[in-house]
């Protein structure tokens, strides 16, 4: 591509959003948007948390790019993220004026329920593509200012922090001799956030009433279920870009109180573990947390919360165990392992009617992400054992695909088995699982699966 063609393409990308009127080199602004912005741009020029920063063209372009990269399903209006740039090009001036005037009204979210690993369902509220874009614009203004004020013990939904960091911090606390954990589970946290309490926390940090009003309207936007819009009096459903940072704003008060008392703890979203050295200290912490959460009008799930030894509980899918040398190691929780095996069983089921190639392709989409999350595990041969179990499942599936004794005999002979070995397998076709663990190891070795593109967990 010629240089001038490349520059022309980049110029078209920058014009995805029309230039904000009133910015350099743009036409003069008129009408309601101009009136709304008068008197606010100057007063908010020194405050980074203003609506003017939200609607800045550079911020909007970055938000649009993020929303498009994240993709996602359309909301109740049916507009997809692919259609969003064209919509914004036509309507951005009007939307910008409404945001600056404080009159923009979000659409209700679409309700989607997904099953939880421990039973029950989790409700997601999927905003329309436009509202995801506007929320992302707001998030990009709030996050650089609010995130540095959060506790160093908070790890969820923060730049440069991850669940892995939280797990490693927990391991350090236990290694230091804190052999009691106060494991607190909040009951339907995202569904029961009190709007007035949260808005009070936001008002202490944000002066711009237009931004506060927009956050309030996003909290109160109804939920469409079965074609009916239901009002929302509490909760901030997961699914929108703003929900995570709003959760951190609300729970930061609990973090700061625990810091003030000198406690070692890790919080990831609403999942919080406090590590102490004695049963008595653990009981005191539990009572403190009950008071703090009650003040925020949040409810502790007593059935899922407990005071225990850390190796008796799980944290973010991990568990901990003690070696003979009294070292604390990280392992994969039984619950996480069971969920993974259930997923692999579903993918490799014999009645799926799919080719081995298609099954391996689905495993290629699932296994690397699972491995990357649980790469911190220190259980030695765990990944190798799982690799062997997965290949076992696939050998069983391949044997099923060969269908009859004659085909099995022919295929196994072609793969190096003797006539007696092939006949032995072919004579026990109904014993799928037993056969797949016997001579098929020789006919379909690990290297054969490597050649088919099956990823290994143990690298």
């Amino acid at each position: 591509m010629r240089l001038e063609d490349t520059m022309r393409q980049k110029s078209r990308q920058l014009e995805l959003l029309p230039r904000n009127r009133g910015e350099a080199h743009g036409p003069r602004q008129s009408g309601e948007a101009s009136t709304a912005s008068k008197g606010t741009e100057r007063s908010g020029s020194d405050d980074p948390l203003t609506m003017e920063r939200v609607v800045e063209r550079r911020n909007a372009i970055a938000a649009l790019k993020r929303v498009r990269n994240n993709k996602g399903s359309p909301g109740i209006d049916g507009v997809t993220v692919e259609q969003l740039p064209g919509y914004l090009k036509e309507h951005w001036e009007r939307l910008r004026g409404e945001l600056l005037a404080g009159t923009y009204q979000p659409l209700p979210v679409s309700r989607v329920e997904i099953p939880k690993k421990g039973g029950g369902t989790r409700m997601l509220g999927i905003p329309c593509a436009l509202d995801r874009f506007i929320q992302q614009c707001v998030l990009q203004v709030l996050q650089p200012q609010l995130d540095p004020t959060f506790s160093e013990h908070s790890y969820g939904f923060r730049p440069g922090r991850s669940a892995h960091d939280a797990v490693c911090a927990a391991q350090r606390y236990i290694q230091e001799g804190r052999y009691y954990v106060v494991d607190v589970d909040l009951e339907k946290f995202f569904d029961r956030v009190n709007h007035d309490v949260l808005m009070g926390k936001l008002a202490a940090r944000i002066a711009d009433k237009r931004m506060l009003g927009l956050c309030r309207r996003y909290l109160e936007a109804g939920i469409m279920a079965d074609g009916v819009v239901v009002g929302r009096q509490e909760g901030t459903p997961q699914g929108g870009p703003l929900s995570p940072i709003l959760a951190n704003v609300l729970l930061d008060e609990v973090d700061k109180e625990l810091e003030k008392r000198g406690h070692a703890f890790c919080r990831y979203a609403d999942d919080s573990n406090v590590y102490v050295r004695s049963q008595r200290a653990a009981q005191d912490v539990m009572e403190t947390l009950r008071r703090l959460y009650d003040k925020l009008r949040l409810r502790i799930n007593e059935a899922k919360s407990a005071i225990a030894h850390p190796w008796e509980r799980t944290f973010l899918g991990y568990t901990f165990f003690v070696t003979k040398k009294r070292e604390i190691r990280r392992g994969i929780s039984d619950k996480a392992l069971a969920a993974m095996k259930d997923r692999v069983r579903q993918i490799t089921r014999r009645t799926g009617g799919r080719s081995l190639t298609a099954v391996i392709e689905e495993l290629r989409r699932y296994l690397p992400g699972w491995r990357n999350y649980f790469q911190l595990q220190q259980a030695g041969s765990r990944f190798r054992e799982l690799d062997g179990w997965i290949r076992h499942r696939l050998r069983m599936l391949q044997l099923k695909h060969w269908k009859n004794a004659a085909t099995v005999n022919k295929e196994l002979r072609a793969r190096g088995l003797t006539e007696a070995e092939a006949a032995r397998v072919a004579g026990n076709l109904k014993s799928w699982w037993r056969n797949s663990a016997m001579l098929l190891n020789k006919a379909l070795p690990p290297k054969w699966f490597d050649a088919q593109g099956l990823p290994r967990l143990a690298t």
Side-chain angles (χ1 to χ4, degrees):
M1 183 180 292
R2 295 180 304 169
L3 177 61
E4 56 266 31
D5 292 336
T6 302
M7 297 303 295
R8 193 177 297 113
Q9 184 181 47
K10 289 185 176 180
S11 177
R12 284 198 299 268
Q13 290 174 349
L14 289 176
E15 290 302 323
L16 208 55
L17 284 174
R19 188 176 299 278
N20 293 341
R21 293 182 178 177
E23 290 187 2
H25 310 299
R28 294 179 60 187
Q29 186 177 13
S30 61
E32 182 184 28
S34 177
T35 304
S37 60
K38 281 184 179 179
T40 58
E41 293 197 14
R42 179 176 298 177
S43 64
S45 60
D46 296 329
D47 183 359
L49 300 180
T50 63
M51 194 59 71
E52 282 71 29
R53 302 296 174 94
V54 170
V55 299
E56 280 181 355
R57 186 165 178 269
R58 181 170 53 184
N59 185 56
I61 290 174
L64 179 59
K65 181 179 179 180
R66 174 60 66 89
V67 170
R68 294 183 73 185
N69 287 342
N70 289 343
K71 299 182 180 180
S73 303
I76 65 171
D77 60 355
V79 176
T80 66
V81 291
E82 290 79 14
Q83 297 169 320
L84 185 58
Y87 181 87
L88 289 173
K89 191 169 185 178
E90 182 178 354
H91 298 282
W92 175 240
E93 284 302 317
R94 173 182 60 80
L95 294 167
R96 181 175 180 271
E98 291 177 2
L99 290 167
L100 289 172
T103 59
Y104 176 78
Q105 183 63 48
L107 288 176
V109 300
S110 175
R111 185 175 72 180
V112 177
E113 292 187 0
I114 60 173
K116 297 172 67 174
K117 294 178 181 179
T121 60
R122 174 181 287 111
M123 195 274 283
L124 297 182
I126 307 300
C128 66
L130 175 61
D131 282 320
R132 293 207 296 274
F133 161 73
I134 293 175
Q135 286 192 36
Q136 184 64 36
C137 287
V138 175
L139 175 64
Q140 290 170 179
V141 170
L142 292 182
Q143 197 159 54
Q145 303 301 318
L146 299 188
D147 191 81
T149 70
F150 294 149
S151 167
E152 64 176 287
H153 300 276
S154 168
Y155 295 91
F157 312 112
R158 299 182 61 187
R161 289 170 170 256
S162 68
H164 285 176
D165 296 323
V167 171
C168 289
Q171 182 184 23
R172 289 195 301 271
Y173 296 145
I174 302 167
Q175 189 67 66
E176 290 168 357
R178 296 177 174 87
Y179 293 153
Y180 290 87
V181 61
V182 183
D183 184 358
V184 172
D185 181 89
L186 294 178
E187 191 172 287
K188 295 184 177 180
F189 168 72
F190 283 95
D191 295 338
R192 292 187 173 169
V193 168
N194 183 278
H195 292 173
D196 291 334
V197 173
L198 174 55
M199 290 307 303
K201 303 296 180 188
L202 284 175
R205 297 168 179 261
I206 302 172
D208 192 320
K209 295 188 182 303
R210 297 165 300 171
M211 189 178 293
L212 290 172
L214 182 62
C215 290
R216 166 74 81 167
R217 289 192 292 277
Y218 272 121
L219 288 173
E220 295 178 346
I223 301 174
M224 178 169 282
D226 300 323
V228 178
V229 176
V230 180
R232 187 166 69 227
Q233 305 302 319
E234 61 180 3
T236 170
Q238 295 167 274
L242 270 179
S243 290
I245 195 169
L246 296 182
N248 281 332
V249 167
L250 181 63
L251 295 175
D252 189 56
E253 178 178 326
V254 178
D255 297 342
K256 295 298 172 56
E257 183 61 30
L258 292 175
E259 280 184 345
K260 181 180 176 182
R261 294 168 181 258
H263 289 303
F265 67 97
C266 305
R267 181 176 65 79
Y268 191 93
D270 58 325
D271 199 343
S272 182
N273 279 6
V274 185
Y275 298 90
V276 295
R277 299 179 187 273
S278 69
Q279 178 87 16
R280 176 65 180 273
Q283 291 171 344
D284 290 344
V285 168
M286 182 65 86
E287 290 305 313
T288 297
L289 289 174
R290 284 195 177 98
R291 290 195 299 271
L292 291 172
Y293 287 131
D294 185 64
K295 182 180 177 182
L296 296 176
R297 301 187 190 179
L298 296 172
R299 187 182 306 167
I300 291 178
N301 187 329
E302 299 293 346
K304 294 184 178 180
S305 303
I307 294 171
H309 295 299
W311 42 88
E312 297 171 344
R313 306 291 291 180
T314 65
F315 183 50
L316 302 177
Y318 282 86
T319 189
F320 302 97
F321 60 94
V322 186
T323 68
K324 292 181 179 179
K325 295 182 179 180
R326 305 296 295 172
E327 293 178 339
I328 304 299
R329 297 289 182 179
R330 302 178 296 262
I332 306 171
S333 72
D334 291 341
K335 185 177 179 181
L337 277 174
M340 179 266 197
K341 286 192 169 186
D342 285 345
R343 179 70 179 127
V344 172
R345 287 190 187 98
Q346 182 184 19
I347 295 172
T348 60
R349 63 191 184 278
R350 297 197 307 274
T351 57
R354 295 179 302 159
S355 67
L356 193 66
T357 300
V359 170
I360 289 176
E361 181 59 34
E362 188 169 353
L363 289 172
R364 288 182 63 180
R365 293 193 294 268
Y366 172 69
L367 291 177
W370 190 88
R371 176 187 61 204
N372 290 342
Y373 184 79
F374 286 105
Q375 63 182 301
L376 296 184
Q377 70 90 23
Q378 297 171 307
S381 61
R382 175 68 74 186
F383 277 177
R384 290 194 297 275
E385 292 169 357
L386 288 171
D387 280 334
W389 177 78
I390 293 169
R391 288 192 294 266
H392 194 162
R393 296 279 310 175
L394 291 173
R395 291 187 186 105
M396 178 182 66
L397 184 61
Q398 180 62 82
L399 192 62
K400 175 69 163 55
H401 285 172
W402 286 334
K403 294 184 179 180
N404 57 60
T407 303
V408 169
N409 203 314
K410 176 183 174 182
E411 295 288 348
L412 294 183
R413 290 296 303 278
R415 286 166 171 77
L417 265 64
T418 66
E419 184 176 352
E421 289 171 336
R424 181 181 172 188
V425 176
N428 294 278
L429 281 187
K430 296 301 181 182
S431 302
W432 306 109
W433 185 252
R434 184 167 177 267
N435 258 328
S436 60
M438 293 169 49
L439 295 170
L440 282 185
N441 291 344
K442 182 178 177 181
L444 303 174
K447 288 185 178 180
W448 184 84
F449 287 104
D450 293 341
Q452 307 308 307
L454 179 68
R456 293 195 187 204
L457 298 177
T459 56

